[in-house]
Amino acid sequence: MSEGYEADAFGDRDDGDGADETVPGQERTFAALPPAQGRGFAESWWGRAWLKALEDTALDGQQLKKGRRFAREGRVGAVSVRPGRLTAVVRDRDESGYRSDVLLQELTEGEWDRFLDMAVDRAGHIAALLDREMPPHLVEDAAAAGVDLLPGIGDLDPECSCEAWDHCPHTAALCYQVARLLDQDPFVLLLLRGRGERRLLDELQVRIAVRAAGHTPSATADEPAEETEDRAVRGVPAAEAYAAAGILPPLPPVPALPGKPGQAPSLDTETDPEPGVDPTALEMLATDGAMRAHRMLAEALAPGHGQQPVPAGLTPQQDAVRLAAEARPEPWIANRLATGSGRQRAGLPAAVRAWQYGGAAALAVLDEEWTPDATALARARTRLAGAWEEDEAPRLRSERNRWTSADGAVQLRYGRDGRWYPYRKESGRWTPAGPCDEDPAAAWADAAAPADG
């Protein structure tokens, strides 16, 4: 849903009684966005609604205009969003950077209870939220339940290292940037109000399950038992649930293939990573995930994709080689991938080359020595006999599925797929020398060619 990176974190939350307590939460960091082009600053309903609330409640229009220019010029860095706080570094016209924070009061537990009850009462909201969508009329229905999602006058409390006493261009620019983040993912607003997407959906599903079972939630410390009994949940008749299906939106059209994979986010935030989590390695995995998703979407949109067999999944050892081949990791990450692939560091380059030539099938040929059955062996020998004229055929000695030149420098390996894989000896190791071929002479030519050619 978004280009931001979402990670478990711990944030400080004030429940309104003056005492801060540390609770599990989420922090999301969105990479800096490029300058905004065109007249409109936000494209989605949620982005425009945020801008309207911001501009309708602003006390200093001049600072707001300067902030809008800063945001439009791309002066807002990566934005960190967590319950009750937005944070970013904003560059001034002289390129000075200022840490800017904007605080927004989190919803109380009672307000979240009313919001979730309202959502569960409406089939359309349930379907949309479980599908990770935020319908625009959610704001009106929440307000009717006494829950204001969008900020009102004085709700956005600024803090900036430029030491302005009120909103400055830097905090205003941060507020404007949030409109573009809401274009990417409206759940940003709910996270800012105190609930990350994961926690919100978990709580929503619990309430749905409770209602489906016809149970009454037990009283909490903040809610007397008699109040819990007053709002006992009721089941929904099947006819009513079936009728509600008509308000659900139709399935979206098939998506167009983006021109390139999404850009990996920067994980250089103020939040320390969890023990054992390396941000650099995680960034590499995020980049790899975006590339694979783009490739899978391209394959899914290709004609005849539905008739293609489902590819076999990779083992962890195979996937470690794939990552080393496709993600271009740092050397120290490559060392870890070598271990994960079950190889020594010196053996990883040959595995990477095999993967680049032919994926999992070529990797299996690198690792596996097998004895073809009589039929496969006869087929292999027939192909070898017909590949060259009698006086041109190289002298080969065979062992199981491998045919090696007399000088021990070149080798053909016969794969279980019936193809020939060229190998040459480099620094005492057999190394893949080219892609596989059904013609053993063509594969031999690749193997016998100079290593740099």
Side-chain angles (χ1 to χ4, degrees):
M1 293 202 40
S2 76
E3 296 177 1
Y5 162 69
E6 189 168 311
D8 290 337
F10 288 90
D12 293 331
R13 190 186 71 195
D14 187 347
D15 287 329
D17 59 0
D20 291 340
E21 60 175 317
T22 300
V23 297
Q26 289 179 319
E27 176 179 351
R28 300 182 64 186
T29 300
F30 291 80
L33 297 176
Q37 305 295 331
R39 295 182 59 188
F41 197 82
E43 300 176 357
S44 68
W45 183 93
W46 286 95
R48 292 193 294 270
W50 173 272
L51 287 184
K52 186 176 187 304
L54 172 66
E55 293 170 351
D56 288 351
T57 60
L59 300 178
D60 191 335
Q62 288 302 115
Q63 299 290 8
L64 209 59
K65 289 179 181 179
K66 292 179 182 178
R68 183 169 60 240
R69 285 198 298 271
F70 278 14
R72 186 176 292 279
E73 292 169 1
R75 297 184 174 278
V76 181
V79 179
S80 170
V81 184
R82 54 189 183 274
R85 183 180 292 268
L86 302 162
T87 305
V89 173
V90 181
R91 291 181 292 107
D92 217 332
R93 289 288 174 84
D94 62 0
E95 298 303 319
S96 299
Y98 295 91
R99 169 177 168 146
S100 300
D101 293 78
V102 175
L103 282 62
L104 179 62
Q105 183 66 42
E106 298 176 49
L107 300 180
T108 65
E109 291 298 322
E111 288 172 326
W112 276 115
D113 279 341
R114 292 198 297 275
F115 176 87
L116 291 167
D117 285 342
M118 176 276 300
V120 173
D121 283 339
R122 291 162 175 79
H125 289 336
I126 293 175
L129 288 170
L130 291 180
D131 200 32
R132 287 163 174 77
E133 298 291 341
M134 286 265 287
H137 50 278
L138 190 68
V139 168
E140 296 178 0
D141 291 343
V147 180
D148 292 322
L149 295 179
L150 293 167
I153 296 177
D155 284 351
L156 297 174
D157 187 15
E159 294 179 357
C160 186
S161 60
C162 76
E163 299 183 352
W165 68 274
D166 198 359
H167 272 292
C168 61
H170 313 112
T171 56
L174 175 55
C175 289
Y176 269 99
Q177 197 75 327
V178 172
R180 299 177 72 186
L181 301 186
L182 290 170
D183 283 347
Q184 296 181 20
D185 187 354
F187 277 89
V188 166
L189 180 59
L190 296 183
L191 173 58
L192 191 55
R193 283 298 198 180
R195 287 290 193 278
E197 179 180 333
R198 185 191 313 167
R199 180 179 176 187
L200 176 71
L201 296 179
D202 286 347
E203 292 183 357
L204 189 62
Q205 289 174 327
V206 167
R207 287 173 184 258
I208 294 171
V210 167
R211 289 204 177 188
H215 294 160
T216 301
S218 59
T220 65
D222 297 330
E223 183 178 26
E226 57 269 19
E227 292 185 17
T228 304
E229 294 172 0
D230 289 342
R231 61 180 185 88
V233 294
R234 299 180 298 277
V236 178
E240 181 181 335
Y242 181 80
I247 68 175
L248 299 179
L251 292 175
V254 176
L257 180 67
K260 59 182 180 179
Q263 183 178 358
S266 170
L267 304 185
D268 184 14
T269 69
E270 295 181 356
T271 303
D272 292 334
E274 293 290 325
V277 175
D278 188 290
T280 303
L282 204 54
E283 285 182 7
M284 184 200 74
L285 291 175
T287 301
D288 175 72
M291 294 177 63
R292 294 181 66 196
H294 187 268
R295 182 167 61 246
M296 292 171 67
L297 180 58
E299 294 170 353
L301 296 177
H305 175 72
Q307 284 69 50
Q308 298 299 318
V310 177
L314 300 180
T315 67
Q317 292 77 17
Q318 290 171 326
D319 201 46
V321 175
R322 182 196 64 78
L323 278 168
E326 298 178 0
R328 298 180 180 179
E330 298 289 337
W332 62 270
I333 298 179
N335 289 337
R336 293 174 62 182
L337 291 174
T339 302
S341 70
R343 306 168 195 275
Q344 298 295 326
R345 180 70 180 91
L348 184 61
V352 166
R353 192 179 297 183
W355 185 273
Q356 291 169 338
Y357 282 136
L363 188 61
V365 171
L366 170 71
D367 293 336
E368 183 183 24
E369 186 174 357
W370 62 287
T371 301
D373 59 31
T375 301
L377 189 58
R379 186 184 305 116
R381 287 174 174 168
T382 299
R383 288 185 177 178
L384 283 170
W388 294 276
E389 298 295 336
E390 273 190 38
D391 57 346
E392 295 177 353
R395 293 177 57 197
L396 301 175
R397 50 183 174 85
S398 65
E399 184 178 359
R400 306 188 74 182
N401 68 318
R402 301 178 182 184
W403 280 261
T404 308
S405 63
D407 61 2
V410 178
Q411 187 178 86
L412 288 179
R413 298 189 179 185
Y414 190 64
R416 293 182 182 272
D417 55 4
R419 293 180 171 87
W420 298 90
Y421 292 78
Y423 275 72
R424 73 168 63 93
K425 187 161 285 188
E426 297 178 1
S427 302
R429 290 178 177 271
W430 285 114
T431 304
C436 65
D437 202 297
E438 293 188 356
D439 180 4
W444 184 269
D446 284 338
D452 59 354

